[in-house]
Amino acid sequence: MGELAVDKHVKFILTVEKDKDSFESIVMEHIRLNGAYWGLTTLDILGKLNAVDQDEVISWMMQCQHESGGFGGNIGHDPHVLYTLSAIQVLALFDKIDVLDVDKVSNYIAGLQNEDGSFSGDMWGEIDTRFSYIAICSLALLKHLDKINVERAVNYIVSCKNLDGGFGCTPGAESHAGQIFCCVGALAITGSLHHVDKDLLGWWLCERQVKSGGLNGRPEKLPDVCYSWWVLSSLIMIDRVHWIDKEKLIRFILDSQDKENGGISDRPGDAVDIFHTYFGVAGLSLLEYRGLKAIDPAYALPVDVVNKILIGR
Amino acid sequence: MTGGANPSSDVLKELENILDSDPFIDEVGFIHPSQFSELVKEVGSSLKDGLMESEGSEANTSDSVFWSRDHKLGISTTALLPLYRAAKHAFMEAIRQYQVLSESRGERDDSQDGNASRCTSTSISILETDIMKHSRVLLLLSCDFGTAWNFRKVVVSKIQQLHLYMDELSLSALVLSYSPKSERAWNHRRWVIKMIAGMCPNLQETVERESEFVEKLAEKSKMNYRAWNHRSWLVSYMSGEQVLSELNKSQDWAGLHVADNSCFHYRVRLLLKILAGFDKLDAGASSATSLRELWKKELNWVEMLIKRYVGREALWLHRRFLSLSWIKNFTTQVHSNSCSSCPNNMMNVEVFMDNELQLCHSCCTIPDNDFEDYQAQATFSATYIMWLVRQAAGSLPIELQKKLQENELKTVVKNVCPDKSFLWDTFNASI
Ligand SMILES: [Zn+2]
């Protein structure tokens, strides 16, 4: 199994970015801004963010902004909070949030809060606790949480808590590790973790670890590298990370690398992609793997980036 | 406008014609060129044989990048990239012009130039047709292209006709038939149903059809969170009668898919809805009894499944939910009650817990053969009972709690799943 193939992964990320000729890469163009966040955050954790031309990235990204203030996934695409958070996070990595019209962006996000405290993802009204997290995380990074009703936002998230201690996308929806990360992250950012039964949720989360050491996102599912991030970050935020076997998980992630061409896949032997490469590296960072920058479990950005923004270092 | 000179726009036009000529296409497949030529060859011969009997099912094999027959559509993978580029270009151009025209009409409406505004509205409706055509192809190739779904919403909500909304359900069903996890396709479905609900308040039929749609799709796409979440979302639109019938209908399916946690969660959702609708003060004794019987039936059914399908996590988690709600809603603590002498009275919490302990013990023995499943069964049963004791602590009499703590439960846990024995310590500390 061996080590994390840092140089190979850097090369993989830089070449994925250039691939514009295969059907597989073209049909992802509507979420290119998410891809930029995954790739660039990985590079930063690996200490290689300077391998990209930040002016080029930022000037492309600003063309994805809509007049409403929200960002589309690429130039000419409709805005959605999913891409707006990625844009803010990428600018945070480059310490360039000031290129934004912060009021405009935060008004866009705040305008999507509903009466019951929930958030829509865009003007078409789909509601999801993921969007609650995105709104809260974005506004915290922009220092404009005052533009929304935080208490109602928190109450809505709490209303999505299930009897097993987990959270789903809407009230009564099945618990899912990705949704749990969003809900716990949003509660952590707003200082509302007292709403979580930590032992009960920790119990559900640590039961996600399967024999191979990998984590799944729901009962009976196969382990998947991306859940290393969602389950692990949640366990850290509720202070129960000692309930899983960290060594086995590290081995599972390292076994999912493509050691020849770089990149990490969902589980050993599968094809790699940028999404799982990010979650694998971010997971290893949470596991304090040597040589990696520490990542913040709630903001999903390197700790130094978050500190610079929130406490001016 | 772009003319026939551009070969990729010809391909786009051809596909749009195929889709227009058969609105009932319900399956799309992307086919590798080698398989594609074989398919055409095969169908070519069957075409001659079958020509006399059924002219209607004649296969469309022109230019050999599309193949369609019996409402099935095949697209050669060689065509995907040029087709996508052409569709995207045409769509983006159409929405650009549409936005310009819509804005200029807004301005001209004030100036009351009748002729010009009639002219604009004709161009607008042409563009709307273009948007619908091009976005359809685009979504067949890239199912989460949100902007394409969005502009379809713009157009159909402007025209406001029920049959157009129904067409949207068909398109989303078509996309989901081969991309069952497409988030945008599911979102679009919910948006359409909400619009339909605004037009015709009686949603029962739609809800029933949707529920069946999910069940069929879940057969092919196992443990699909978005699909089950959609079905679960429907519950809020269901009548009490429908909830009960859904509970009945989904039982067989669940029994055949015991690893699909989402289906069991769906049952949780239905059961909670029934429980919430039950007003303790208002309800008569008979409905209280039937609710209790319903719960008991579910508990017995899951116990039967647990014994039949060894080592299935979803079953044990379902039992956690059922037992905890049983203790909280249907048991009494009064153990001097005459009922408590009756050994089969599950309503007595001590009797109930005793049963659960026995179930746990019986599942903790690991035979030499088939070690893995039985090991899993033992772990799930041990963590089940620990979880239940912890979560129900407030509803258990002190003596029973003490008894459980002093019980050999701890040894069982340490023997069966030593890696989970820390859970024992945390729950012990919390009582
Ligand atoms: Zn994954």
Side-chain angles (χ1 to χ4, degrees):
Chain A
M1 70 141 204
E3 308 278 296
L4 181 68
V6 172
D7 295 337
K8 294 274 167 74
H9 296 323
V10 171
K11 222 176 112 199
F12 168 73
I13 292 165
L14 296 175
T15 48
V16 162
E17 178 48 32
K18 301 260 147 26
D19 176 16
K20 296 205 173 80
D21 293 316
S22 72
F23 180 65
E24 288 71 22
S25 76
I26 290 283
V27 292
M28 299 303 275
E29 66 176 354
H30 61 281
I31 58 164
R32 188 150 177 255
L33 197 31
N34 293 147
Y37 160 73
W38 296 324
L40 294 168
T41 309
T42 312
L43 288 178
D44 199 17
I45 299 171
L46 296 172
K48 296 281 160 52
L49 189 59
N50 52 17
V52 294
D53 179 346
Q54 72 170 60
D55 293 336
E56 198 185 318
V57 175
I58 292 174
S59 95
W60 161 74
M61 213 168 64
M62 293 310 288
Q63 293 176 66
C64 301
Q65 191 175 20
H66 198 251
E67 52 191 66
S68 62
F71 283 75
N74 207 331
I75 298 170
H77 289 248
D78 282 356
H80 194 286
V81 290
L82 280 165
Y83 317 116
T84 307
L85 173 61
S86 284
I88 296 168
Q89 285 170 317
V90 169
L91 289 172
L93 289 174
F94 292 130
D95 195 15
K96 282 280 161 55
I97 285 189
D98 53 7
V99 308
L100 283 179
D101 180 341
V102 170
D103 259 318
K104 201 170 170 184
V105 180
S106 44
N107 285 341
Y108 169 76
I109 297 166
L112 291 167
Q113 187 171 32
N114 303 302
E115 236 348 80
D116 62 359
S118 66
F119 282 85
S120 302
D122 63 11
M123 62 173 283
W124 297 103
E126 180 73 13
I127 291 169
D128 192 312
T129 45
R130 277 186 306 158
F131 308 150
S132 298
Y133 165 75
I134 287 172
I136 285 169
C137 184
S138 300
L139 292 175
L141 290 169
L142 299 177
K143 300 186 186 172
H144 268 304
L145 272 175
D146 57 308
K147 292 204 177 193
I148 57 165
N149 187 328
V150 173
E151 195 188 333
R152 279 195 199 170
V154 166
N155 288 342
Y156 180 78
I157 291 169
V158 173
S159 76
C160 297
K161 185 160 67 173
N162 289 316
L163 283 167
D164 58 21
F167 294 83
C169 51
T170 47
E174 184 187 357
S175 296
H176 179 295
Q179 307 288 153
I180 291 173
F181 159 75
C182 290
C183 293
V184 173
L187 294 176
I189 291 171
T190 54
S192 317
L193 280 177
H194 56 276
H195 289 292
V196 178
D197 181 341
K198 293 176 183 163
D199 284 338
L200 182 61
L201 176 58
W203 190 314
W204 191 92
L205 287 168
C206 79
E207 285 180 325
R208 300 302 108 239
Q209 188 159 41
V210 301
K211 266 217 173 97
S212 63
L215 302 166
N216 63 19
R218 279 184 295 142
E220 303 270 11
K221 297 278 284 183
L222 290 172
D224 185 327
V225 162
C226 59
Y227 291 103
S228 310
W229 168 264
W230 286 312
V231 175
L232 205 53
S233 57
S234 304
L235 281 168
I236 291 174
M237 287 187 274
I238 62 169
D239 196 22
R240 294 294 180 279
V241 72
H242 51 286
W243 284 7
I244 58 158
D245 186 334
K246 292 193 199 174
E247 288 309 311
K248 271 179 102 174
L249 179 56
I250 291 176
R251 227 170 305 137
F252 177 80
I253 298 174
L254 291 175
D255 283 345
S256 305
Q257 300 179 91
D258 179 339
K259 301 196 76 176
E260 293 219 336
N261 303 307
I264 299 176
S265 58
D266 55 358
R267 66 190 66 92
D270 283 357
V272 302
D273 60 60
I274 186 101
F275 177 80
H276 289 95
T277 305
Y278 160 64
F279 285 113
V281 171
L284 288 173
S285 162
L286 289 177
L287 291 160
E288 298 168 312
Y289 190 88
R290 67 191 170 282
L292 300 181
K293 258 194 185 187
I295 187 162
D296 184 283
Y299 289 94
L301 283 170
V303 170
D304 63 337
V305 171
V306 176
N307 285 347
K308 199 183 276 175
I309 292 170
L310 296 185
I311 46 180
R313 196 180 315 260
Chain B
M1 205 169 17
T2 32
N6 184 346
S8 64
S9 75
D10 282 348
V11 181
L12 174 62
K13 232 175 253 163
E14 194 188 337
L15 179 54
E16 289 174 348
N17 286 340
I18 294 175
L19 292 169
D20 278 341
S21 64
D22 184 359
F24 299 108
I25 287 179
D26 58 6
E27 222 177 284
V28 177
F30 302 141
I31 306 170
H32 191 265
S34 63
Q35 288 168 301
F36 194 86
S37 52
E38 228 149 88
L39 186 67
V40 172
K41 242 187 271 164
E42 247 171 62
V43 171
S45 60
S46 73
L47 198 76
K48 275 176 213 145
D49 303 337
L51 203 60
M52 291 308 189
E53 296 102 63
S54 58
E55 266 176 309
S57 69
E58 192 175 311
N60 179 343
T61 60
S62 60
D63 288 350
S64 71
V65 290
F66 302 115
W67 176 90
S68 89
R69 191 185 187 179
D70 300 334
H71 312 306
K72 313 286 174 232
L73 171 65
I75 303 175
S76 167
T77 49
T78 52
L80 294 179
L81 195 51
L83 200 50
Y84 174 84
R85 287 197 165 127
K88 190 198 157 192
H89 177 77
F91 170 74
M92 288 304 210
E93 185 53 28
I95 62 171
R96 192 189 61 76
Q97 291 182 25
Y98 185 67
Q99 283 165 315
V100 170
L101 269 187
S102 306
E103 268 169 42
S104 75
R105 182 166 72 166
E107 285 158 21
R108 209 172 297 137
D109 276 350
D110 306 330
S111 67
Q112 290 183 329
D113 180 349
N115 246 352
S117 101
R118 220 166 307 138
C119 188
T120 315
S121 69
T122 317
S123 326
I124 284 186
S125 70
I126 291 171
L127 282 169
E128 281 167 350
T129 312
D130 283 352
I131 287 172
M132 295 304 271
K133 272 188 185 178
H134 303 324
S135 62
R136 181 171 55 184
V137 172
L138 198 49
L139 290 168
L140 288 182
L141 301 175
S142 179
C143 61
D144 281 322
F145 201 111
T147 310
W149 288 116
N150 291 348
F151 271 86
R152 296 186 74 83
K153 294 190 185 79
V154 171
V155 172
V156 297
S157 59
K158 213 186 106 195
I159 301 172
Q160 283 285 349
Q161 281 178 4
L162 192 60
H163 75 95
L164 286 181
Y165 287 119
M166 291 311 195
D167 289 351
E168 291 309 290
L169 289 182
S170 307
L171 177 64
S172 134
L174 180 57
V175 168
L176 290 170
S177 74
Y178 61 92
S179 300
K181 292 184 176 168
S182 167
E183 182 185 353
R184 298 293 180 133
W186 285 114
N187 291 355
H188 193 66
R189 252 189 130 68
R190 275 190 289 280
W191 179 85
V192 170
I193 292 170
K194 283 187 222 159
M195 297 305 280
I196 295 175
M199 295 172 83
C200 48
N202 186 5
L203 260 193
Q204 308 297 10
E205 228 177 279
T206 311
V207 167
E208 210 173 307
R209 235 181 305 124
E210 282 300 293
S211 181
E212 277 162 22
F213 171 74
V214 173
E215 186 163 306
K216 235 186 262 158
L217 189 132
E219 188 67 47
K220 283 187 291 180
S221 171
K222 298 282 184 267
M223 297 191 254
N224 183 332
Y225 185 80
R226 293 191 202 292
W228 284 97
N229 185 49
H230 184 75
R231 198 173 183 185
S232 201
W233 170 78
L234 296 167
V235 174
S236 57
Y237 289 93
M238 288 177 191
S239 64
E241 207 181 313
Q242 248 177 333
V243 171
L244 274 175
S245 115
E246 283 289 311
L247 193 65
N248 273 330
K249 275 194 277 183
S250 61
Q251 186 169 17
D252 288 344
W253 200 94
L256 293 170
H257 301 81
V258 290
D260 205 321
N261 193 62
S262 298
C263 181
F264 288 95
H265 179 79
Y266 181 59
R267 297 183 69 75
V268 168
R269 179 89 184 243
L270 294 167
L271 286 164
L272 284 175
K273 170 115 178 177
I274 295 169
L275 192 63
F278 174 75
D279 188 338
K280 280 181 183 120
L281 295 170
D282 196 36
S286 67
S287 66
T289 314
S290 68
L291 181 61
R292 201 168 55 226
E293 287 306 312
L294 185 78
W295 224 269
K296 214 191 239 174
K297 216 179 93 196
E298 186 87 359
L299 272 163
N300 291 337
W301 172 66
V302 169
E303 181 171 346
M304 179 275 289
L305 292 176
I306 280 175
K307 287 174 177 163
R308 184 185 294 173
Y309 302 100
V310 172
R312 298 273 48 119
E313 188 179 13
L315 296 176
W316 285 100
L317 295 188
H318 193 48
R319 193 164 189 86
R320 284 186 191 177
F321 159 76
L322 291 172
S323 299
L324 182 61
S325 2
W326 177 266
I327 292 172
K328 293 205 162 162
N329 294 291
F330 303 107
T331 61
T332 100
Q333 289 194 20
V334 194
H335 58 135
S336 60
N337 188 317
S338 61
C339 285
S340 68
S341 56
C342 163
N344 290 322
N345 189 355
M346 275 166 67
M347 287 173 69
N348 178 298
V349 73
E350 277 181 65
V351 174
F352 180 78
M353 285 308 293
D354 247 7
N355 283 343
E356 296 311 293
L357 277 169
Q358 269 175 32
L359 173 67
C360 169
H361 279 300
S362 74
C363 293
C364 274
T365 38
I366 304 171
D368 292 333
N369 57 338
D370 206 0
F371 178 79
E372 240 181 68
D373 284 347
Y374 281 90
Q375 172 68 48
Q377 180 88 326
T379 303
F380 293 140
S381 71
T383 49
Y384 160 74
I385 203 81
M386 277 200 296
W387 188 93
L388 186 59
V389 172
R390 178 191 187 268
Q391 288 311 107
S395 311
L396 302 178
I398 305 287
E399 311 90 88
L400 181 57
Q401 287 187 38
K402 275 203 186 119
K403 201 177 107 191
L404 287 165
Q405 271 171 298
E406 286 152 13
N407 191 286
E408 74 279 39
L409 201 58
K410 183 175 181 174
T411 341
V412 172
V413 171
K414 298 231 150 140
N415 284 338
V416 170
C417 44
D419 56 325
K420 294 279 187 288
S421 67
F422 65 89
L423 289 172
W424 172 270
D425 303 327
T426 55
F427 109 75
N428 239 7
S430 73
I431 295 185

